[in-house]
PDB file of all heavy atoms in Angstrom:
ATOM      1  N   LEU A 225      84.086 122.724 101.423  1.00 94.00           N
ATOM      2  CA  LEU A 225      85.344 122.142 101.889  1.00 94.00           C
ATOM      3  C   LEU A 225      86.534 123.016 101.509  1.00 94.00           C
ATOM      4  O   LEU A 225      87.478 123.186 102.289  1.00 94.00           O
ATOM      5  CB  LEU A 225      85.499 120.739 101.293  1.00 94.00           C
ATOM      6  CG  LEU A 225      86.638 119.877 101.815  1.00 94.00           C
ATOM      7  CD1 LEU A 225      86.434 119.550 103.282  1.00 94.00           C
ATOM      8  CD2 LEU A 225      86.753 118.598 100.986  1.00 94.00           C
ATOM      9  N   THR A 226      86.475 123.613 100.324  1.00 92.00           N
ATOM     10  CA  THR A 226      87.595 124.427  99.851  1.00 92.00           C
ATOM     11  C   THR A 226      87.770 125.708 100.650  1.00 92.00           C
ATOM     12  O   THR A 226      88.815 126.343 100.572  1.00 92.00           O
ATOM     13  CB  THR A 226      87.414 124.775  98.369  1.00 92.00           C
ATOM     14  OG1 THR A 226      86.115 125.367  98.178  1.00 92.00           O
ATOM     15  CG2 THR A 226      87.532 123.524  97.504  1.00 92.00           C
ATOM     16  N   SER A 227      86.761 126.100 101.414  1.00 94.00           N
ATOM     17  CA  SER A 227      86.867 127.336 102.200  1.00 94.00           C
ATOM     18  C   SER A 227      87.510 127.102 103.560  1.00 94.00           C
ATOM     19  O   SER A 227      87.770 128.067 104.295  1.00 94.00           O
ATOM     20  CB  SER A 227      85.478 127.953 102.401  1.00 94.00           C
ATOM     21  OG  SER A 227      84.706 127.175 103.312  1.00 94.00           O
ATOM     22  N   ILE A 228      87.771 125.841 103.910  1.00 94.00           N
ATOM     23  CA  ILE A 228      88.345 125.513 105.211  1.00 94.00           C
ATOM     24  C   ILE A 228      89.852 125.340 105.052  1.00 94.00           C
ATOM     25  O   ILE A 228      90.315 124.471 104.310  1.00 94.00           O
ATOM     26  CB  ILE A 228      87.709 124.230 105.782  1.00 94.00           C
ATOM     27  CG1 ILE A 228      86.208 124.451 105.972  1.00 94.00           C
ATOM     28  CG2 ILE A 228      88.370 123.817 107.096  1.00 94.00           C
ATOM     29  CD1 ILE A 228      85.461 123.224 106.436  1.00 94.00           C
ATOM     30  N   SER A 229      90.617 126.183 105.736  1.00 93.00           N
ATOM     31  CA  SER A 229      92.071 126.112 105.642  1.00 93.00           C
ATOM     32  C   SER A 229      92.584 124.908 106.414  1.00 93.00           C
ATOM     33  O   SER A 229      91.878 124.306 107.228  1.00 93.00           O
ATOM     34  CB  SER A 229      92.700 127.384 106.214  1.00 93.00           C
ATOM     35  OG  SER A 229      92.504 127.437 107.622  1.00 93.00           O
ATOM     36  N   ARG A 230      93.842 124.559 106.175  1.00 92.00           N
ATOM     37  CA  ARG A 230      94.439 123.444 106.910  1.00 92.00           C
ATOM     38  C   ARG A 230      94.405 123.726 108.411  1.00 92.00           C
ATOM     39  O   ARG A 230      94.117 122.827 109.205  1.00 92.00           O
ATOM     40  CB  ARG A 230      95.878 123.211 106.453  1.00 92.00           C
ATOM     41  CG  ARG A 230      96.596 122.118 107.244  1.00 92.00           C
ATOM     42  CD  ARG A 230      97.984 121.831 106.689  1.00 92.00           C
ATOM     43  NE  ARG A 230      98.748 120.953 107.563  1.00 92.00           N
ATOM     44  CZ  ARG A 230      98.609 119.643 107.628  1.00 92.00           C
ATOM     45  NH1 ARG A 230      97.728 119.045 106.858  1.00 92.00           N
ATOM     46  NH2 ARG A 230      99.358 118.920 108.457  1.00 92.00           N
ATOM     47  N   GLU A 231      94.677 124.962 108.811  1.00 90.00           N
ATOM     48  CA  GLU A 231      94.691 125.305 110.229  1.00 90.00           C
ATOM     49  C   GLU A 231      93.318 125.158 110.872  1.00 90.00           C
ATOM     50  O   GLU A 231      93.216 124.875 112.064  1.00 90.00           O
ATOM     51  CB  GLU A 231      95.204 126.740 110.424  1.00 90.00           C
ATOM     52  CG  GLU A 231      96.661 126.952 110.080  1.00 90.00           C
ATOM     53  CD  GLU A 231      96.934 126.932 108.579  1.00 90.00           C
ATOM     54  OE1 GLU A 231      95.979 127.147 107.780  1.00 90.00           O
ATOM     55  OE2 GLU A 231      98.091 126.665 108.190  1.00 90.00           O
ATOM     56  N   GLU A 232      92.268 125.334 110.097  1.00 95.00           N
ATOM     57  CA  GLU A 232      90.905 125.228 110.619  1.00 95.00           C
ATOM     58  C   GLU A 232      90.352 123.809 110.555  1.00 95.00           C
ATOM     59  O   GLU A 232      89.235 123.568 110.997  1.00 95.00           O
ATOM     60  CB  GLU A 232      89.966 126.120 109.801  1.00 95.00           C
ATOM     61  CG  GLU A 232      90.261 127.598 109.858  1.00 95.00           C
ATOM     62  CD  GLU A 232      89.354 128.371 108.922  1.00 95.00           C
ATOM     63  OE1 GLU A 232      89.268 128.005 107.719  1.00 95.00           O
ATOM     64  OE2 GLU A 232      88.708 129.331 109.390  1.00 95.00           O
ATOM     65  N   SER A 233      91.126 122.875 110.026  1.00 97.00           N
ATOM     66  CA  SER A 233      90.598 121.552 109.710  1.00 97.00           C
ATOM     67  C   SER A 233      90.519 120.608 110.905  1.00 97.00           C
ATOM     68  O   SER A 233      89.861 119.579 110.823  1.00 97.00           O
ATOM     69  CB  SER A 233      91.465 120.890 108.629  1.00 97.00           C
ATOM     70  OG  SER A 233      91.444 121.647 107.437  1.00 97.00           O
ATOM     71  N   PHE A 234      91.201 120.959 112.012  1.00 98.00           N
ATOM     72  CA  PHE A 234      91.352 120.019 113.111  1.00 98.00           C
ATOM     73  C   PHE A 234      90.842 120.605 114.416  1.00 98.00           C
ATOM     74  O   PHE A 234      90.902 121.810 114.639  1.00 98.00           O
ATOM     75  CB  PHE A 234      92.819 119.631 113.281  1.00 98.00           C
ATOM     76  CG  PHE A 234      93.520 119.315 111.988  1.00 98.00           C
ATOM     77  CD1 PHE A 234      94.640 120.046 111.599  1.00 98.00           C
ATOM     78  CD2 PHE A 234      93.062 118.312 111.156  1.00 98.00           C
ATOM     79  CE1 PHE A 234      95.286 119.774 110.405  1.00 98.00           C
ATOM     80  CE2 PHE A 234      93.698 118.036 109.960  1.00 98.00           C
ATOM     81  CZ  PHE A 234      94.812 118.765 109.584  1.00 98.00           C
ATOM     82  N   HIS A 235      90.389 119.706 115.308  1.00 98.00           N
ATOM     83  CA  HIS A 235      89.963 120.134 116.640  1.00 98.00           C
ATOM     84  C   HIS A 235      91.149 120.462 117.540  1.00 98.00           C
ATOM     85  O   HIS A 235      91.152 121.486 118.231  1.00 98.00           O
ATOM     86  CB  HIS A 235      89.133 119.041 117.311  1.00 98.00           C
ATOM     87  CG  HIS A 235      87.837 118.748 116.631  1.00 98.00           C
ATOM     88  ND1 HIS A 235      87.707 117.784 115.655  1.00 98.00           N
ATOM     89  CD2 HIS A 235      86.604 119.288 116.798  1.00 98.00           C
ATOM     90  CE1 HIS A 235      86.447 117.747 115.247  1.00 98.00           C
ATOM     91  NE2 HIS A 235      85.757 118.643 115.921  1.00 98.00           N
ATOM     92  N   VAL A 236      92.158 119.586 117.566  1.00 98.00           N
ATOM     93  CA  VAL A 236      93.267 119.779 118.501  1.00 98.00           C
ATOM     94  C   VAL A 236      94.647 119.665 117.848  1.00 98.00           C
ATOM     95  O   VAL A 236      95.621 120.179 118.413  1.00 98.00           O
ATOM     96  CB  VAL A 236      93.192 118.770 119.680  1.00 98.00           C
ATOM     97  CG1 VAL A 236      91.984 119.055 120.557  1.00 98.00           C
ATOM     98  CG2 VAL A 236      93.179 117.320 119.188  1.00 98.00           C
ATOM     99  N   TYR A 237      94.764 119.011 116.719  1.00 98.00           N
ATOM    100  CA  TYR A 237      96.082 118.794 116.127  1.00 98.00           C
ATOM    101  C   TYR A 237      96.745 120.128 115.776  1.00 98.00           C
ATOM    102  O   TYR A 237      96.196 120.928 115.013  1.00 98.00           O
ATOM    103  CB  TYR A 237      95.967 117.922 114.871  1.00 98.00           C
ATOM    104  CG  TYR A 237      97.293 117.694 114.171  1.00 98.00           C
ATOM    105  CD1 TYR A 237      98.255 116.867 114.731  1.00 98.00           C
ATOM    106  CD2 TYR A 237      97.570 118.312 112.965  1.00 98.00           C
ATOM    107  CE1 TYR A 237      99.474 116.660 114.105  1.00 98.00           C
ATOM    108  CE2 TYR A 237      98.776 118.108 112.325  1.00 98.00           C
ATOM    109  CZ  TYR A 237      99.732 117.285 112.894  1.00 98.00           C
ATOM    110  OH  TYR A 237     100.936 117.096 112.265  1.00 98.00           O
ATOM    111  N   LYS A 238      97.884 120.385 116.373  1.00 97.00           N
ATOM    112  CA  LYS A 238      98.663 121.615 116.194  1.00 97.00           C
ATOM    113  C   LYS A 238      97.856 122.872 116.483  1.00 97.00           C
ATOM    114  O   LYS A 238      98.118 123.944 115.912  1.00 97.00           O
ATOM    115  CB  LYS A 238      99.282 121.659 114.793  1.00 97.00           C
ATOM    116  CG  LYS A 238     100.382 120.627 114.608  1.00 97.00           C
ATOM    117  CD  LYS A 238     101.196 120.874 113.350  1.00 97.00           C
ATOM    118  CE  LYS A 238     102.368 119.903 113.287  1.00 97.00           C
ATOM    119  NZ  LYS A 238     103.211 120.111 112.094  1.00 97.00           N
ATOM    120  N   GLN A 239      96.891 122.758 117.388  1.00 97.00           N
ATOM    121  CA  GLN A 239      96.095 123.906 117.806  1.00 97.00           C
ATOM    122  C   GLN A 239      96.579 124.407 119.169  1.00 97.00           C
ATOM    123  O   GLN A 239      97.096 123.633 119.972  1.00 97.00           O
ATOM    124  CB  GLN A 239      94.608 123.530 117.913  1.00 97.00           C
ATOM    125  CG  GLN A 239      94.003 122.935 116.661  1.00 97.00           C
ATOM    126  CD  GLN A 239      93.964 123.911 115.505  1.00 97.00           C
ATOM    127  OE1 GLN A 239      93.610 125.070 115.659  1.00 97.00           O
ATOM    128  NE2 GLN A 239      94.340 123.441 114.331  1.00 97.00           N
ATOM    129  N   GLU A 240      96.385 125.666 119.414  1.00 97.00           N
ATOM    130  CA  GLU A 240      96.665 126.215 120.750  1.00 97.00           C
ATOM    131  C   GLU A 240      95.471 126.015 121.664  1.00 97.00           C
ATOM    132  O   GLU A 240      95.621 125.750 122.857  1.00 97.00           O
ATOM    133  CB  GLU A 240      97.006 127.712 120.653  1.00 97.00           C
ATOM    134  CG  GLU A 240      98.288 128.002 119.892  1.00 97.00           C
ATOM    135  CD  GLU A 240      99.512 127.368 120.538  1.00 97.00           C
ATOM    136  OE1 GLU A 240      99.562 127.322 121.795  1.00 97.00           O
ATOM    137  OE2 GLU A 240     100.399 126.918 119.797  1.00 97.00           O
ATOM    138  N   ARG A 241      94.266 126.153 121.089  1.00 97.00           N
ATOM    139  CA  ARG A 241      93.035 125.959 121.855  1.00 97.00           C
ATOM    140  C   ARG A 241      92.109 124.999 121.118  1.00 97.00           C
ATOM    141  O   ARG A 241      92.070 124.972 119.888  1.00 97.00           O
ATOM    142  CB  ARG A 241      92.328 127.298 122.101  1.00 97.00           C
ATOM    143  CG  ARG A 241      93.114 128.223 123.022  1.00 97.00           C
ATOM    144  CD  ARG A 241      92.306 129.438 123.416  1.00 97.00           C
ATOM    145  NE  ARG A 241      93.014 130.236 124.392  1.00 97.00           N
ATOM    146  CZ  ARG A 241      93.007 129.995 125.700  1.00 97.00           C
ATOM    147  NH1 ARG A 241      92.290 128.987 126.175  1.00 97.00           N
ATOM    148  NH2 ARG A 241      93.684 130.753 126.533  1.00 97.00           N
ATOM    149  N   CYS A 242      91.375 124.242 121.889  1.00 97.00           N
ATOM    150  CA  CYS A 242      90.448 123.256 121.338  1.00 97.00           C
ATOM    151  C   CYS A 242      89.347 123.956 120.551  1.00 97.00           C
ATOM    152  O   CYS A 242      88.721 124.908 121.048  1.00 97.00           O
ATOM    153  CB  CYS A 242      89.854 122.442 122.493  1.00 97.00           C
ATOM    154  SG  CYS A 242      88.512 121.338 122.021  1.00 97.00           S
TER     155      CYS A 242
END
Side-chain angles (χ1 to χ4, degrees):
L225 189 65
T226 53
S227 71
I228 299 176
S229 69
R230 176 175 171 79
E231 293 73 21
E232 297 175 308
S233 298
F234 315 121
H235 295 91
V236 293
Y237 178 72
K238 291 193 174 181
Q239 305 295 316
E240 295 299 324
R241 293 189 174 276
C242 172

